[in-house]
Amino acid sequence: MSGDHALATVPPPAGGLATHPGGDLVAAAERLARELLEDLHPRWEHTRAVAARAAAGAGAVAPQDRPVLVAAAWLHDVGYAPDLRAVGFHPLDGADHLRGAGWPRLLASLVAHHSGARFAAQVRGLTGALSAHDDPRALAGAIADALTWADQTVSADGEVVDVEERLADVLRRHGPDSPNARCHHLRGPYVRGAVRRTQDRLRRAGAVPAPASAPDGERPPR
Ligand SMILES: [Fe+2]
């Protein structure tokens, strides 16, 4: 992996959200995610599984919003790539890079705010920096909820899990003094609400949400 090379060779598709075919956006997002994260394990396995989960749950959002949801799922953790590290807060580092590289504002905002990042940003003193990415559709609503649902029902290793297991694992891995632990009383309810709302939308749309213990066929290839 070479960051400069990756950044130069995977531009966003031209034309913005309004004019490009959705498949172009998703394909470009997958390529950039692969270039930045493929060598990071298990981050890459997690990323692939979150993208697959978002695609499987795309019925929770309007048809025209499905490409940006799946593209955001591919890119939501690119801020962990060493080449993109700036402030050391991955939602912000990822979003700043994407916006600077010309990716659509809504997509960068979804990356900035995925999984209740604003609560951890507050603990870290980064609320002002994150607010540069305050697109209302990334803060609340069906797309924001579905991205959080996808991320928070997939484990760090890329397995489909229950949201409570995912929340508990984050606290276990990051420790009791971590920013995530210090905002858990706010972030936990937000994440649970996003998961519940997405599952309700999927039920109403007639799309059966994948169970926490997914059959092998739902897991991404390793
Ligand atoms: Fe993630």
Side-chain angles (χ1 to χ4, degrees), residues 109-197:
S109 298
L110 286 164
V111 169
H113 288 287
H114 76 269
S115 299
R118 61 184 174 275
F119 301 112
Q122 191 167 19
V123 171
R124 292 169 178 263
L126 293 171
T127 297
L130 202 67
S131 71
H133 301 288
D134 278 0
D135 186 304
R137 298 174 76 200
L139 288 164
I143 315 174
D145 285 346
L147 180 59
T148 291
W149 167 81
D151 186 32
Q152 297 299 310
T153 58
V154 167
S155 74
D157 293 329
E159 305 293 337
V160 174
V161 294
D162 180 82
V163 62
E164 295 303 330
E165 184 179 339
R166 176 78 160 116
L167 288 169
D169 182 59
V170 167
L171 294 181
R172 243 188 336 263
R173 284 185 295 112
H174 293 265
D177 297 324
S178 66
N180 272 341
R182 287 162 59 196
C183 68
H184 182 69
H185 63 294
L186 298 172
R187 182 175 174 273
Y190 167 77
V191 166
R192 291 185 189 98
V195 168
R196 187 184 61 250
R197 289 188 294 273

